[in-house]
Amino acid sequence: MNGAETLVHTLIANQLDVCFTNPGTSEMHFVAALDKIEGMRCVLGLHETVVTGAADGYYRMADRPAATLLHLGPGLANGLANLHNAKKARSGIVNIVGDHAISHLELDAPLTSDIHGIAAPMSDWVHTTASAEAIAADGAQAVRRANARPGGIATLVLPANVAWSEVPDTSDAPQHASAQAVSQQAAPASAALPQDWAPIIAALREAPQSTLILLGDRALREKCTTLAGKIAAATQCTVRAEFYTARMERGAGRVRVPRLPYAVDLGLAALAPFKRIILVGAKPPVAFFAYPGKPGRLTALGCEFLTLSTPEDCPEQALSALCEALNAQRLAPANLVEQEEPVALSGPLTPEGIGKTLAATLPAHAIVVEEAMTTGRGFDALTAHAAPHDWLTSCGGSIGFALPAAVGAAMAAPERRVLALEGDGSGMYTLQSLWTMARENLNVTVVIFVNRAYGILRGELAAVGAGTPGKRATDMLSLDRPIIDWSDLAKGMGVSAVKVGNLESLAQALSRSYNTPGPSLIEAIL
């Protein structure tokens, strides 16, 4: 075997069997190895940020990493925006980045670049394989790093000469290729000494009205929110979620955990009553941006933070132990959601009407990937009583997240319907995702909210005190002249599309899409 073939065998042996790709010349031996060796599903993305965003969405639903295949430093650089989102979501990804043959680097050819320098800010581990003999061990190490808790981004640089070189026939090579990359187990929270938990238990028993349990990361899965609901039932404390969530299991039959507001003033008001915040996989809440005359920290002055569980820990163990300490195991959880009877709505496409229509039509166990930043701010409350579903948001704020992440989520859970909620401005960053949805025949419903503007930035212009926009500023925040026709764009990439202008037609289009295999796009003209 050559180095590329050995790496493919190693990845498959370590249960990594999906590769999102956008290769170039330096990666051709790896492409040939993927072609020759059975067991790896290869998915082409027409831009690298589609590739990296899809790997993020895949990990969030599969709880195990996929690989990406990227072309040298510029290809990796094209994928950095969604690698940023993946890093903030603590997603595990193995990036395979090709490089020139080692002897060619000294010639400073046009595509020569500092791949380590490009990779480092968005990676938890970066390594260049020095020889074909080392490739199996390096590949297994990359999977180990990606499988750590929390998940990590491992970037393995594969020089072309290492990929094409024959691996010496030694007894070590096959063992390395088939060695399992064992995940680093989460440190059990129960290992914490009882006295470490004393302030948490005292706060919940003595001052529950001024105590908040803030959930983040994997604490937003159903088993954890159920335990948090039991604690709330026993103590009458408040439970909330971080605004940005990698994956939140919510809806009918589950405990309702409202997300903190995005806006600074609303966030300050929501957190003002709390003197203590118990963190479970979450971080102390801060404003997304700095605003003149407003604080960066959203909590009340003097608020105390108590950590029950970090993202490195197992939140279910921590919450279960806390339940036991509070004698809450047998209690019914507080704030269980009952599914509301769907009501047919009519009228114009308002954010409130859209949210209620989404809730009324959402199929059970759907996966919602949301990046409707202007239209969708209020969807959290409006969809709380929908059928049980998962809700994914961008955790890093780099736009162009929803469409690629929907690709990855649909790959990880092909039996479930994925609903991607996307703004027309954000969607233009990664519209190539539609082509991949069509090629792979993924069960994705895309709703594009068309306001023909960067609506969120118009609000931010006022929020930072930059004044009333003039003609040039308005032009920089507008998406007209010419108007973007999303239906035509979708059809050109093989995805069926329809325009809707009211709530009745939106509900009909959603229901039709959910009952039709494969991808479709709904262009909602606001």
Side-chain angles (χ1 to χ4, degrees), residues 330-349:
R330 292 180 175 83
L331 296 179
N335 304 315
L336 273 179
V337 175
E338 294 184 7
Q339 188 164 355
E340 295 180 346
E341 287 295 322
V343 177
L345 299 175
S346 61
L349 290 172

Side-chain angles (χ1 to χ4, degrees), residues 85-107:
N85 288 332
K87 185 176 178 67
K88 293 292 186 178
R90 306 183 183 96
S91 293
I93 299 172
V94 174
N95 296 316
I96 307 298
V97 183
D99 198 4
H100 290 305
I102 293 172
S103 62
H104 199 68
L105 290 174
E106 63 187 34
L107 303 179

Side-chain angles (χ1 to χ4, degrees), residues 109-158:
L111 276 170
T112 303
S113 63
D114 181 3
I115 297 178
H116 277 242
I118 295 168
M122 308 306 178
S123 301
D124 299 279
W125 179 82
V126 185
H127 180 74
T128 295
T129 293
S131 66
E133 293 91 333
I135 190 63
D138 289 347
Q141 177 68 354
V143 180
R144 288 189 187 96
R145 294 284 184 155
N147 266 325
R149 278 297 306 139
I153 296 175
T155 299
L156 180 62
V157 183
L158 180 63

Side-chain angles (χ1 to χ4, degrees), residues 31 37 68 74 81-82 120 204 225 241 263 322 353 358 369 436 454 470 484 521 524:
V31 169
I37 299 166
T68 70
N82 269 323
L204 290 168
T225 57
L322 185 57
L358 294 173
V369 185
T436 302
Y454 286 124
I484 299 166
L521 182 139

Side-chain angles (χ1 to χ4, degrees), residues 37 41 57 67 77 152 161 194 246-247 263 315 317 360 373 392 405 413 457:
I37 299 166
R41 183 171 180 182
N161 65 293
R247 175 181 169 189
Q317 289 182 9
M373 294 184 287
L392 284 57
L457 294 183

Side-chain angles (χ1 to χ4, degrees), residues 78-435:
N78 276 345
L80 288 183
N82 269 323
L83 283 179
H84 168 77
N85 288 332
K87 185 176 178 67
K88 293 292 186 178
R90 306 183 183 96
S91 293
I93 299 172
V94 174
N95 296 316
I96 307 298
V97 183
D99 198 4
H100 290 305
I102 293 172
S103 62
H104 199 68
L105 290 174
E106 63 187 34
L107 303 179
D108 193 25
L111 276 170
T112 303
S113 63
D114 181 3
I115 297 178
H116 277 242
I118 295 168
M122 308 306 178
S123 301
D124 299 279
W125 179 82
V126 185
H127 180 74
T128 295
T129 293
S131 66
E133 293 91 333
I135 190 63
D138 289 347
Q141 177 68 354
V143 180
R144 288 189 187 96
R145 294 284 184 155
N147 266 325
R149 278 297 306 139
I153 296 175
T155 299
L156 180 62
V157 183
L158 180 63
N161 65 293
V162 174
W164 72 52
S165 296
E166 293 297 313
V167 176
D169 185 14
T170 68
S171 59
D172 288 341
Q175 293 172 8
H176 281 142
S178 60
Q180 292 295 310
V182 180
S183 303
Q184 295 180 14
Q185 295 299 314
S190 56
L193 297 174
Q195 57 263 35
D196 295 338
W197 291 13
I200 293 173
I201 294 170
L204 290 168
R205 284 177 172 165
E206 299 167 14
Q209 286 76 23
S210 57
T211 300
L212 170 69
I213 296 178
L214 184 62
L215 305 180
D217 198 66
R218 297 196 181 199
L220 291 168
R221 306 289 179 90
E222 182 179 6
K223 289 181 179 178
C224 291
T225 57
T226 298
L227 291 166
K230 289 175 180 285
I231 294 167
T235 65
Q236 307 305 306
C237 72
T238 302
V239 181
R240 299 203 70 162
E242 292 181 309
F243 178 74
Y244 287 105
T245 61
R247 175 181 169 189
M248 185 176 187
E249 296 178 348
R250 61 197 295 268
R254 295 169 172 171
V255 172
R256 182 178 180 185
V257 184
R259 291 156 61 198
L260 292 177
Y262 170 88
V264 171
D265 292 339
L266 294 176
L268 289 168
L271 292 168
F274 302 110
K275 297 179 181 179
R276 285 158 301 278
I277 297 179
I278 299 169
L279 301 173
V280 188
K283 296 170 63 176
V286 298
F288 200 77
F289 294 107
Y291 297 92
K294 295 185 179 183
R297 298 189 182 276
L298 300 180
T299 45
L301 189 65
C303 179
E304 180 184 10
F305 292 98
L306 305 169
T307 300
L308 180 72
S309 172
T310 71
E312 289 78 14
D313 299 323
C314 176
E316 185 180 349
Q317 289 182 9
L319 289 165
S320 180
L322 185 57
C323 256
E324 185 174 348
L326 296 166
N327 295 315
Q329 309 98 309
R330 292 180 175 83
L331 296 179
N335 304 315
L336 273 179
V337 175
E338 294 184 7
Q339 188 164 355
E340 295 180 346
E341 287 295 322
V343 177
L345 299 175
S346 61
L349 290 172
T350 63
E352 181 177 2
I354 292 168
K356 290 181 176 179
T357 300
L358 294 173
T361 55
L362 194 68
H365 308 297
I367 301 164
V368 181
V369 185
E370 187 263 312
E371 195 180 24
M373 294 184 287
T374 304
T375 306
R377 286 275 177 83
F379 286 173
D380 182 57
L382 294 167
T383 58
H385 294 270
H389 61 277
D390 290 10
W391 196 280
L392 284 57
T393 71
S394 167
C395 292
S398 180
I399 64 176
F401 156 80
L403 298 183
V407 168
M411 290 281 301
E415 75 285 357
R416 300 171 66 176
R417 172 60 59 167
V418 176
L419 172 62
L421 304 175
E422 182 65 281
D424 53 348
S426 302
M428 286 300 294
Y429 279 62
T430 49
L431 78 164
Q432 304 95 328
S433 306
L434 299 174
W435 183 87

Side-chain angles (χ1 to χ4, degrees), residues 376-511:
R377 286 275 177 83
F379 286 173
D380 182 57
L382 294 167
T383 58
H385 294 270
H389 61 277
D390 290 10
W391 196 280
L392 284 57
T393 71
S394 167
C395 292
S398 180
I399 64 176
F401 156 80
L403 298 183
V407 168
M411 290 281 301
E415 75 285 357
R416 300 171 66 176
R417 172 60 59 167
V418 176
L419 172 62
L421 304 175
E422 182 65 281
D424 53 348
S426 302
M428 286 300 294
Y429 279 62
T430 49
L431 78 164
Q432 304 95 328
S433 306
L434 299 174
W435 183 87
T436 302
M437 293 176 193
R439 180 183 239 215
E440 300 295 327
N441 196 33
L442 301 176
N443 291 322
V444 180
T445 300
V446 177
V447 181
I448 302 290
F449 299 108
V450 179
N451 58 14
R452 310 200 198 288
Y454 286 124
I456 191 171
L457 294 183
R458 290 184 175 182
E460 293 295 301
L461 190 77
V464 300
T468 303
K471 183 181 185 305
R472 285 192 294 273
T474 299
D475 278 352
M476 285 188 278
L477 306 179
S478 300
L479 299 177
D480 54 5
R481 221 174 69 249
I483 288 173
I484 299 166
D485 192 318
W486 271 94
S487 295
D488 282 354
L489 289 172
K491 292 172 185 175
M493 295 195 194
V495 176
S496 63
V498 62
K499 290 182 170 71
V500 300
N502 55 53
L503 295 175
E504 300 99 317
S505 57
L506 174 61
Q508 292 167 6
L510 286 168
S511 296

